[in-house]
């Protein structure tokens, strides 16, 4: 359908009758890059920038994403206003917990309208979207009408721009006549409670044979509406069954490293044996991913196993760390503060409405609209989003919380204990395994979250090394230490929310003199930790350093050492990446302040350990008197104390103690270094860091070896230039040290890459000139008619290219979005890129790893330069240690770059009918780096003009 017919269909002026006062809508304003349009009762028409600014600033007007609209007009993000109505807010109210990309196009597609491409069509679609949503409210069958009406009235009284129309539309469908109504804000009183069930018991050891896996896969494909079974997919499922066969000896897990090319269908391929194993053994198979997007994708694929939504909710559970889920107590605290005038009542009302409809309370990558808190300008402390509504600080009071029985985290943990599939992520699996392993080593019982890790599938397995590196590292920084102080002492500034140890534990230890003394000692000792504003004292803009306490004194000395040994303007130590330097040899001030800092940490650790022991004694001594709620609360407190008193603090003291041994030689297993992080040209944190040179050592010990079966799978595991293509995969998964070597499998993609893709190295550009990079991307994206993804290895270059590229694409009517520029999280940017077929997107690694865009929305992918690993201290130590296992001295760096290029190429062709051009805008790119691309791809080297012509002809073979 053309834009003209779209406009004609949806922008015809409607007659507003007295029965539909809510349908009298203000003009809708759309501002795609380089254009502006408005749609009112007279229809849709283009307008200039000045007129668009007038509509936006003076109103009344409807927009989609007020902050993004303001940025496109060169204005500051606006506060809420009765005259500025964001249709996305209306969508969040009418359709809570339902997906919508945050743009006029996203709204149109979510409501079943055709994709509007021109500015006029977008304005018309925006106006029609608002009308459709209000008419949906006016339908007599609209669910939970009374609750929506009560909340809508409250939001209207709070000044919500949509309040009056929402109330009128709901009244049109019929509401009860009542003299008194509540506020509707107390959503916590209407959440369903979880119920405990009997323990499931140990999983069995019944095997899954290859033929059974093939049969199960065939049934899954039929349930998905696919009649044919691809031979490669069937072979993959059959081989994957090995990871679900019983092990014969402790410490000898069944490990399979399986590379499956894009299009193989590996998700259903491993779900087939995993689901069989879970059924036969009454246990949970864990599927771990690196990105949130893949977690949701796997959940959708599980529909083939359990078509009934109610059954699937029980059988397949998405599991994340508790910092991803709505904390109902935080919501209640913020709502109550907002009712007193200190907060965003409208945003909180929308978040509460979502809470009543969400599947699992997941605010980061789940069904919460992550764009909602950023629509209007608000103080950061008032934003009704994940930053304020999840428990990021470990302040949970567990069973002492009045909402414990409705807690989303507790619901999810309990559901995962009964599930057949637990769809988790690498970060949760590895950090929890490290914690459980530490407790088990002390003879303590695991808390049960990952105690059932018998069978694990690590999808996106090429990221397992990086996930382990993060999970098993330590960092003593100003911000981390300030967080620990806050966890112990609670918020110390006026108007700050939070709960310290005394608030969380005081009533449990009041009758135990020794425990009460340990608590008070810990609170006093924690005063030595940095408080709020530490960066302003350690690294002030004025240069007048004023550290308070021994930890801040150490960080100030560390910063002096950093400045003495680092060139702030160097390629890898400049404002974008901050500074770093080797820890040893240390300066005298660093060594001296480290001693005092270690003593201060020991003074905090000792009473926390004592408090932990007293709580353990209470569990033992008062076992007969404690009810389930009290026991749960103490166990929750012990988990928090264990993490800090037995893991974090000893780790920090160990790093500081290494400075007192008098030697200058580093620990052979670790890399210790000093770093400073910068933002907007200023240092905002200083840190002492410790990482394993080979993080697969703890990965293998804590996760791989104790399991019974592990499948590590990805589209990019092997490296064809090595004598054994799976050497790198063994090295970076920890399986190289196993007693029983892992099996390996490589399944080629079924796609015809020779016919459907082109790979080009543009050889006449100067890669260090952002003007040339911007010009190249402009011409390539224009030749493709949009659908372009530009990948950068540095944020600074991305921003420089964006400034030059945006206006040129806007003239051609091609929207351009950019990570680190647009006021949206990466997931929302990718959503908009996916739904707008001709949009373009610029991003870094997070975009490369998180993009799943089948079809024409992604048809050109351009790297600004070779994605070599950044040669920081940690990487150089690893290259020296691990690179020797490769045939060439440069083999380690090559292998990592090859893998990144292959991963990016895999984003381009997602379906059999996709077509795409992959370009490297770096003339010095060695041909050997393309060796990991699928068979059938041919690398061509040519100038930019030829590359543009190739792109145009390949993607548009029949112009016009």
């Amino acid at each position: 359908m053309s834009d003209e017919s779209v406009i004609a269909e949806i922008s015809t002026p409607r007659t507003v009758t007295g029965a539909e006062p809510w349908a009298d809508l203000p003009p809708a304003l759309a501002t795609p890059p380089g254009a502006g349009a408005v749609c009112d009762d007279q229809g849709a028409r283009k307008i200039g920038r000045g007129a668009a600014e007038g509509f936006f600033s003076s109103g009344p007007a409807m927009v989609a994403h007020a902050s993004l609209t303001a940025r496109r007009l060169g204005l500051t993000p606006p506060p809420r206003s009765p005259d500025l109505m964001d249709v996305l807010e209306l969508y969040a109210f009418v359709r809570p917990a339902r997906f919508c990309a945050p743009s006029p196009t996203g709204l149109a597609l979510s409501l079943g309208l055709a994709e509007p491409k021109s500015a006029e069509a977008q304005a018309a679609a925006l106006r029609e979207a608002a009308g459709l949503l209000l008419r949906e409210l006016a339908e007599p069958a609209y669910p939970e009408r009374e609750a929506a009406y009560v909340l809508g009235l409250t939001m209207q009284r709070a000044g919500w721009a949509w309040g009056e129309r929402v109330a009128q539309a709901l009244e049109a469908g019929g509401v009860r006549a009542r003299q008194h109504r509540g506020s509707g804000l107390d959503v916590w009183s209407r959440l369903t409670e979880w119920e405990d069930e009997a323990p499931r018991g140990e999983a069995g050891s019944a095997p899954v044979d290859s033929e059974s896996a093939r049969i199960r896969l065939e049934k899954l494909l039929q349930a998905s509406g696919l009649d044919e079974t691809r031979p490669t997919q069937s072979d993959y499922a059959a081989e994957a069954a090995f990871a679900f066969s019983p092990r014969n000896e402790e410490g000898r897990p069944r490990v399979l490293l399986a590379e499956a090319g894009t299009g193989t269908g590996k998700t259903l391929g491993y779900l087939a044996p995993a689901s069989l194993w879970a059924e036969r053994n009454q246990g949970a198979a864990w599927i771990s991913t690196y990105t949130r997007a893949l977690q949701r994708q796997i959940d959708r694929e599980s529909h083939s196993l359990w078509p009934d939504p109610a059954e699937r909710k029980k059988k397949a559970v998405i599991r994340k760390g508790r910092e991803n889920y709505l904390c109902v107590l935080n919501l209640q605290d913020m709502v109550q503060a907002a009712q007193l005038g200190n907060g965003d009542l409208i945003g909180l009302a929308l978040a509460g409405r979502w809470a009543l409809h969400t599947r699992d309370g997941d605010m980061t990558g789940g069904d919460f609209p992550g764009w909602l808190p950023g629509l209007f300008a608000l103080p950061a402390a008032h934003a009704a989003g994940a930053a304020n509504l999840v428990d990021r600080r470990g302040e949970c009071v567990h069973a002492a919380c009045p909402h414990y029985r409705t807690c989303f985290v507790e619901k999810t943990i309990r559901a995962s204990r009964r599930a057949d599939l637990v769809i988790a992520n690498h970060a949760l699996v590895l950090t929890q395994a490290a914690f459980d392993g530490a407790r088990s080593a002390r003879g303590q019982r695991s808390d049960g979250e990952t105690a059932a890790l018998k069978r694990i599938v690590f999808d996106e397995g090429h990221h397992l090394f990086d996930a382990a590196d993060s999970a098993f590292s330590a960092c003593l920084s100003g911000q981390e230490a300030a967080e620990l102080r806050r966890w112990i002492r609670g918020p110390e500034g006026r108007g700050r929310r939070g709960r310290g140890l005394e608030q969380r534990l005081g009533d449990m230890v009041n009758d135990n003199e020794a425990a009460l003394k340990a608590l008070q000692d810990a609170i006093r000792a924690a005063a030595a930790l940095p408080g709020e504003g530490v960066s302003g004292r350690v690294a002030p803009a004025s240069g007048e350093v004023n550290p308070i306490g021994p930890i801040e004194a150490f960080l100030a000395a560390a910063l002096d050492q950093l400045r003495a040994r680092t060139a702030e303007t160097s390629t890898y130590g400049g404002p974008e990446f901050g500074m770093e330097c080797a820890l040893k040899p240390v300066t005298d001030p660093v060594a001296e302040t480290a001693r005092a800092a270690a003593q201060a940490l020991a003074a905090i650790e000792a009473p926390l350990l004592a408090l932990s022991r007293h709580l353990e004694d209470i569990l033992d001594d008062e076992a007969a008197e404690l009810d389930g709620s009290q026991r749960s609360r103490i166990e929750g407190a012990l988990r928090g104390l264990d993490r800090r008193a037995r893991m974090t603090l000893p780790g920090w003291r160990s790093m500081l103690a290494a400075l007192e041994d008098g030697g200058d030689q580093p620990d052979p297993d670790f890399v210790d270094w000093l770093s400073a992080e910068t933002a907007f040209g200023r240092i905002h944190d200083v840190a002492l860091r410790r990482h394993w040179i080979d993080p697969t050592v703890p990965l293998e010990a804590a996760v791989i070896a104790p399991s019974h079966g592990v499948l590590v799978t990805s589209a990019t595991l092997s490296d064809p230039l090595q004598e054994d293509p799976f050497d790198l995969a063994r090295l970076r998964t920890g399986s190289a040290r196993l007693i029983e070597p892992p099996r390996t499998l490589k399944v080629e993609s079924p796609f015809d890459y020779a016919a459907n893709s082109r790979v080009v190295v543009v050889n006449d550009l100067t890669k260090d000139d952002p003007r040339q990079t911007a010009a190249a991307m402009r011409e390539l994206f224009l030749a493709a008619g949009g659908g372009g993804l530009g990948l950068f290895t540095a944020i600074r270059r991305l921003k420089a290219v964006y400034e030059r590229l945006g206006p040129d694409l806007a003239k051609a009517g091609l929207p351009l979005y950019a990570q680190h520029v647009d006021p949206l999280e990466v997931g929302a940017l990718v959503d908009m890129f996916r739904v707008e077929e001709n949009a373009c997107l610029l991003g870094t690694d997070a975009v490369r790893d998180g993009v799943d865009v089948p079809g024409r929305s992604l048809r050109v992918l351009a790297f600004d330069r070779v994605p070599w690993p950044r040669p920081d201290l940690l990487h150089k130590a690893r290259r020296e240690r691990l690179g020797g296992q490769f045939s060439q001295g440069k083999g380690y760096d090559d292998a990592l770059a090859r893998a990144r290029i292959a991963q990016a190429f895999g984003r381009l062709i997602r379906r059999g009918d996709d077509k795409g051009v992959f370009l490297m805008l770096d003339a010095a790119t060695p041909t050997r780096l393309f060796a990991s691309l699928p068979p059938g791809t041919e690398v061509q080297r040519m100038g930019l003009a030829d590359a543009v012509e190739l792109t145009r002809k390949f993607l548009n073979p029949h112009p016009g």
Side-chain angles (χ1 to χ4, degrees):
M1 185 181 292
S2 68
D3 274 351
E4 288 76 13
S5 57
V6 170
I7 296 169
E9 179 182 333
I10 65 179
S11 67
T12 303
R14 299 177 183 274
T15 301
V16 179
T17 68
E20 293 184 341
W22 43 267
D24 183 12
L25 294 169
L29 174 67
T31 57
V38 69
C39 181
D40 53 21
D41 289 338
Q42 282 69 52
R45 61 190 182 277
K46 283 186 177 180
I47 57 174
R49 177 165 174 164
E53 288 183 16
F55 272 106
F56 184 80
S57 302
S58 305
M62 296 186 297
V63 297
H65 207 295
S67 289
L68 183 58
T69 303
R71 198 188 64 75
R72 285 178 173 167
L73 293 173
L75 304 173
T76 57
R80 275 207 185 82
S81 157
D83 290 326
L84 188 60
M85 305 166 68
D86 201 313
V87 184
L88 288 168
E89 278 197 330
L90 179 62
Y91 186 94
F93 182 92
V94 179
R95 296 187 171 189
R98 291 170 66 178
F99 172 78
C100 177
S103 68
T105 301
L107 281 162
L109 295 178
S110 296
L111 292 166
L113 303 175
E115 179 187 350
K117 295 182 179 179
S118 69
E120 301 99 305
Q122 289 186 22
L126 190 57
R127 184 174 173 83
E128 179 67 1
L132 287 173
L133 289 168
L134 289 168
R135 284 194 284 278
E136 193 170 319
L137 287 178
E139 290 292 332
Y142 185 77
E144 302 176 20
R145 168 178 303 281
E146 183 67 23
Y149 183 62
V150 171
L151 188 63
L153 290 177
T154 298
M155 296 171 70
Q156 180 183 356
R157 290 192 294 270
W160 190 34
W162 289 104
E164 183 178 6
R165 288 177 175 82
V166 163
Q168 290 171 344
L170 287 166
E171 289 167 356
V175 292
R176 298 173 186 173
R178 291 186 177 179
Q179 187 173 1
H180 300 291
R181 284 186 167 93
S183 68
L185 293 167
D186 58 341
V187 295
W188 44 85
S189 66
R190 287 170 276 154
L191 296 172
T192 58
E193 295 187 350
W194 51 260
E195 294 182 359
D196 257 334
E197 297 184 48
R200 196 174 190 180
E202 283 286 319
S205 298
V208 175
D209 60 276
S210 297
E211 190 57 31
S212 295
R214 291 183 192 270
I215 294 171
R216 170 56 62 91
L217 173 63
E218 188 174 351
K219 292 181 179 178
L220 294 182
L221 291 170
Q222 290 172 354
S224 300
L226 302 172
D227 294 330
E228 81 283 354
T229 301
R230 286 166 279 183
T232 53
Q233 187 181 26
S234 182
D235 292 344
Y236 177 92
E239 292 294 329
F242 171 73
F244 297 93
S245 58
R247 67 179 184 180
N248 294 326
E249 293 182 38
E250 184 180 9
R252 290 176 177 253
R254 306 287 194 178
V255 178
L256 174 66
L257 307 179
E259 178 175 291
T262 305
T264 301
K266 70 176 184 299
T267 303
L268 286 181
Y270 61 65
L271 286 182
S275 60
L276 269 177
W277 180 87
E279 287 177 14
R280 292 177 178 180
N281 295 286
Q282 297 299 297
W286 282 61
I287 315 295
S288 180
T289 76
Y290 188 68
T291 59
R292 298 165 181 164
L294 186 56
Q295 278 186 281
R296 289 290 167 184
Q297 181 182 325
I298 294 169
D299 179 55
R300 289 193 296 271
E301 296 269 14
S302 70
H303 180 272
S304 304
L305 284 162
W306 305 289
D308 177 51
E311 183 183 18
R312 183 158 59 98
K313 187 175 181 179
K314 293 181 180 179
K315 294 287 189 178
V317 173
I318 295 178
R319 185 74 183 90
K320 298 181 180 181
R322 64 173 53 242
E323 67 279 1
N324 293 278
Y325 297 93
L326 171 70
C327 170
V328 185
L329 185 57
N330 280 350
L331 176 63
Q332 182 183 13
D333 287 348
M334 288 192 71
V335 166
Q336 291 173 344
Q339 287 177 302
L340 297 175
N342 186 27
D344 176 25
L345 189 65
I346 294 169
L348 289 165
L350 291 170
R353 185 152 169 75
W354 164 81
L356 289 172
H357 294 84
T358 177
R359 169 182 167 173
D360 55 12
D362 181 1
M363 298 194 78
T364 59
D367 53 19
F368 180 77
W371 38 260
L372 186 59
L375 297 182
F376 294 98
L378 292 166
H382 292 172
N388 292 318
L389 291 175
V390 303
D391 177 20
R392 292 189 184 279
R393 305 176 185 275
E395 296 174 335
C396 180
V397 295
H398 301 280
C401 177
H403 310 298
Y404 182 64
R405 298 288 303 184
T406 58
C407 175
F408 287 109
V409 177
E410 295 295 331
K411 286 179 185 176
T412 306
I413 291 173
R414 281 161 176 75
S416 68
R417 292 170 181 167
R418 307 289 303 177
D420 282 7
L421 294 178
V422 178
I423 306 167
N425 54 61
H426 298 351
L428 170 71
V429 170
L430 300 188
T431 54
Q432 191 61 40
F435 177 62
D436 287 348
R439 297 195 98 196
S440 297
R442 296 192 299 273
Q444 293 175 293
R445 182 176 64 84
S446 164
D447 66 1
E449 288 198 45
T450 57
L453 276 174
K454 298 289 181 67
R455 308 287 171 173
I456 318 171
V457 176
F458 285 110
D459 202 342
E460 298 180 301
H462 57 277
H463 283 300
L464 196 51
F465 185 93
D466 296 326
D469 182 38
S470 177
F472 299 109
S473 62
C475 170
L476 169 55
S477 72
Q479 298 299 329
E480 292 286 334
E483 281 295 311
L484 179 59
R485 175 180 176 133
R486 192 179 193 280
W487 183 82
I488 295 172
R489 294 175 63 89
E492 297 173 279
R494 291 184 61 186
R496 295 183 178 273
R497 294 182 305 106
R499 295 169 287 277
L501 267 184
E502 188 167 22
Q503 186 178 352
R504 299 198 300 276
L505 299 179
D507 62 315
M508 288 198 297
V509 299
N510 275 338
D511 297 332
N512 186 314
E513 185 176 340
L516 185 59
K517 181 179 184 301
L519 173 62
Q520 293 169 343
D521 288 347
I523 293 171
R524 279 193 296 270
L529 292 167
E532 296 289 340
V534 53
S535 62
R537 295 186 294 275
V538 172
S542 66
E544 297 179 5
V545 179
N546 182 33
I548 299 175
I551 311 299
E552 291 189 14
F554 167 74
L555 294 175
L559 183 56
D560 286 341
Q561 178 172 323
L562 271 164
R563 285 172 167 153
R565 298 179 183 174
T566 306
E568 292 190 47
T569 57
S570 67
T571 304
Y572 298 103
E576 182 169 349
F577 296 109
M579 296 183 287
E580 66 171 28
C581 74
L583 181 61
K584 294 186 175 182
V586 298
T587 62
D588 290 340
V590 168
E592 292 166 4
T593 54
R595 193 173 302 112
Q599 292 171 351
L601 294 178
I604 302 168
E605 183 183 333
L608 288 180
L609 287 172
L611 178 60
S612 182
R613 288 192 294 269
H614 291 311
L615 291 176
E616 290 167 355
D617 290 342
I618 292 173
L619 282 179
D620 289 340
D621 298 342
E622 302 178 21
E625 291 81 20
L626 292 174
D627 60 28
S629 173
Q630 292 171 317
R631 177 173 292 278
S632 175
R633 186 178 172 192
I634 293 175
E635 288 175 345
L638 283 171
R639 285 196 296 270
L641 286 166
D642 273 0
R643 287 185 186 278
R644 292 159 180 84
R646 291 194 167 103
M647 296 180 72
T648 300
L649 283 166
W652 289 354
R653 286 198 303 105
S654 175
M655 289 191 290
L656 292 169
L659 303 180
E660 299 184 49
D661 59 14
D664 291 336
Q665 293 303 312
D667 189 301
D669 292 324
F670 299 98
V671 179
D672 292 351
W673 76 98
L674 299 174
S675 72
E677 296 178 9
T678 62
F680 306 107
R682 292 185 56 184
I683 293 172
H684 69 86
D685 206 5
V686 182
L688 168 61
R689 299 180 180 276
R690 166 171 285 186
H691 284 238
W692 284 84
I693 292 180
D694 183 0
T696 67
V697 172
L699 168 67
E700 185 261 342
V703 183
I704 307 295
S707 66
H708 290 218
V710 178
L711 168 62
V712 181
T713 188
S714 168
T716 53
L717 278 182
S718 67
D719 184 352
L721 292 194
Q722 302 306 319
E723 187 174 337
D724 184 330
F726 281 90
D727 270 352
L728 183 65
R730 292 188 187 91
L731 182 71
R732 289 173 67 85
T733 60
S735 58
R737 285 185 299 276
L738 292 173
I739 301 171
E740 185 172 321
R743 286 190 184 182
T744 59
L745 171 70
K746 183 170 182 175
V747 180
E748 298 291 355
S749 169
F751 296 156
D752 185 352
Y753 289 100
N756 292 350
S757 68
R758 296 290 183 268
V759 180
V760 177
V761 176
V762 179
N763 58 14
D764 60 352
L765 299 177
T766 302
K767 66 181 180 182
D768 293 324
D769 185 351
R771 294 171 300 177
Q772 294 191 36
T773 302
M777 288 191 176
R778 177 192 66 215
E779 296 305 318
L780 291 164
F781 292 173
L782 289 174
L789 174 61
L791 293 177
F792 293 80
T793 56
I795 299 170
R796 171 177 44 83
R797 290 198 300 275
L798 181 155
K799 291 181 176 179
V801 168
Y802 176 86
E803 292 299 323
R804 293 172 172 84
L805 183 60
D808 291 336
L809 293 185
K811 292 175 184 176
L814 301 181
L816 177 65
Y817 301 107
Q819 183 190 9
H820 304 294
V821 176
D822 288 313
L824 291 162
E825 60 179 6
V826 171
L829 288 172
V830 173
D831 288 339
M832 293 165 69
F833 179 61
R834 184 184 296 111
V835 302
E836 299 180 23
E837 188 175 276
N838 295 330
C840 298
L841 175 64
L842 306 182
T844 56
D845 285 354
V847 172
R848 182 193 70 210
D849 296 330
V851 169
D852 182 23
V853 183
R856 277 184 54 79
S857 290
L858 174 54
R859 47 194 184 271
V860 173
L861 191 153
F863 261 111
D864 79 317
R865 60 178 62 192
V866 175
W868 295 113
R870 187 159 65 94
D872 54 22
L873 291 168
L874 181 59
H875 174 74
K876 288 190 284 188
R878 286 175 175 160
R879 180 170 57 194
E880 182 178 352
R881 172 75 62 86
L882 307 176
Q885 301 184 32
F886 292 85
S887 56
Q888 309 170 47
K890 59 189 175 185
Y892 185 66
D893 283 359
D894 274 12
L896 296 183
R898 264 194 300 275
R900 292 175 181 178
I901 290 173
Q903 289 151 23
F905 181 84
R907 304 293 95 192
L908 189 61
I909 307 294
R910 307 299 291 171
R911 300 187 311 209
D913 57 352
D914 281 358
K915 294 184 69 174
V917 180
F918 182 92
L919 300 112
M920 186 68 70
L921 308 182
D922 185 345
T925 307
T927 301
R928 66 181 183 273
L929 296 186
F930 296 102
S932 291
L933 298 188
T937 54
E938 177 188 351
V939 180
Q940 304 177 65
R941 293 178 180 268
M942 62 185 70
L944 176 61
D946 291 334
V948 170
E949 186 64 18
L950 178 150
T951 300
R952 181 180 293 109
K953 289 183 176 179
F954 182 67
L955 295 177
N956 304 286
H958 307 293

